């Protein structure tokens, strides 16, 4: 699978097929073993403070959660359901109004039942973060992996 096909697959799984990620318009910009990146475009309806134009924390939280989850998915040998067990976010500074936000996540440890991740949200320089996240995900939760349109059963 080449990079374009991989990005299209993860775009379907982690943005287009998840209603709140789709509503946010999250765009998958990178996905490789243990690493994921997404982009959130600034939009007026995502602003938390109309006087400053700063994005609300909710969309950033959703993006960091989705990006960490996508990093976990890149580590799995076979698709399996998993769920966020814990997600801690430190908001370091406000996002600049009008600018897109990028989330980059790493899955740095995968056990039989738990995956560990860390992520940063930024405007293009991860060393100048807007937020930092640390998440854990429970593997093998109930349910079946989400089927995508066009999958053969």
């Amino acid at each position: 699978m080449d990079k374009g096909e991989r990005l299209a697959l993860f775009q379907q799984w982690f943005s287009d097929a998840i209603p709140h990620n789709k509503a946010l318009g999250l765009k998958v910009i990178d996905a490789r073993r243990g690493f994921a990146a997404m982009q959130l475009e600034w939009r007026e309806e995502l602003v938390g403070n109309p006087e400053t134009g700063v994005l609300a924390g909710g969309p950033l939280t959703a993006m960091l959660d989705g990006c960490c989850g996508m990093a976990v998915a890149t580590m799995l040998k076979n698709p399996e359901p998993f769920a966020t067990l814990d997600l801690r976010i430190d908001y370091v500074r406000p996002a600049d109004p009008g600018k897109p936000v990028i989330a980059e996540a790493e899955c740095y440890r995968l056990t039989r039942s738990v995956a560990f991740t860390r992520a940063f949200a930024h405007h293009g320089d991860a060393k100048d973060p807007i937020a930092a996240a640390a998440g854990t995900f429970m593997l093998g939760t109930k349910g079946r992996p989400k089927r995508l349109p066009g999958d053969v059963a």
Side-chain angles (χ1 to χ4, degrees):
M1 179 181 304
D2 69 22
K3 183 177 180 178
E5 292 170 331
R6 192 173 54 250
L7 291 180
L9 176 68
F10 280 101
Q11 179 70 36
Q12 283 186 306
W13 276 349
F14 285 89
S15 187
D16 300 346
I18 298 175
H20 71 270
N21 287 349
K22 185 176 182 179
L24 290 171
L26 295 179
K27 181 180 176 189
V28 173
I29 57 175
D30 201 356
R32 57 184 186 271
R33 185 163 172 74
F35 181 82
M38 294 178 158
Q39 183 168 312
L40 173 67
E41 295 295 330
W42 184 93
R43 297 192 329 247
E44 193 169 327
E45 66 265 25
L46 302 179
V47 166
N49 183 340
E51 290 183 22
T52 62
V54 172
L55 288 173
L60 297 176
T61 298
M63 179 171 65
L64 286 164
D65 187 21
C67 198
C68 286
M70 192 168 71
V72 171
T74 67
M75 297 288 282
L76 300 176
K77 290 181 181 170
N78 296 303
E80 67 175 273
F82 61 88
T84 307
L85 190 59
D86 184 51
L87 183 67
R88 175 194 162 89
I89 298 179
D90 292 323
Y91 291 96
V92 179
R93 66 176 181 87
D96 296 338
K99 291 186 176 179
V101 177
I102 296 167
E104 293 179 325
E106 171 191 22
C107 178
Y108 63 91
R109 175 125 170 93
L110 188 69
T111 70
R112 193 172 45 135
S113 59
V114 179
F116 299 87
T117 65
R118 54 186 159 227
F120 290 100
H122 56 83
H123 287 303
D125 180 2
K127 293 180 181 174
D128 186 22
I130 297 163
T136 54
F137 291 79
M138 179 176 281
L139 305 175
T141 57
K142 289 183 178 179
R144 289 183 264 165
K146 176 95 176 154
R147 291 214 165 276
L148 298 173
D151 281 356
V152 177

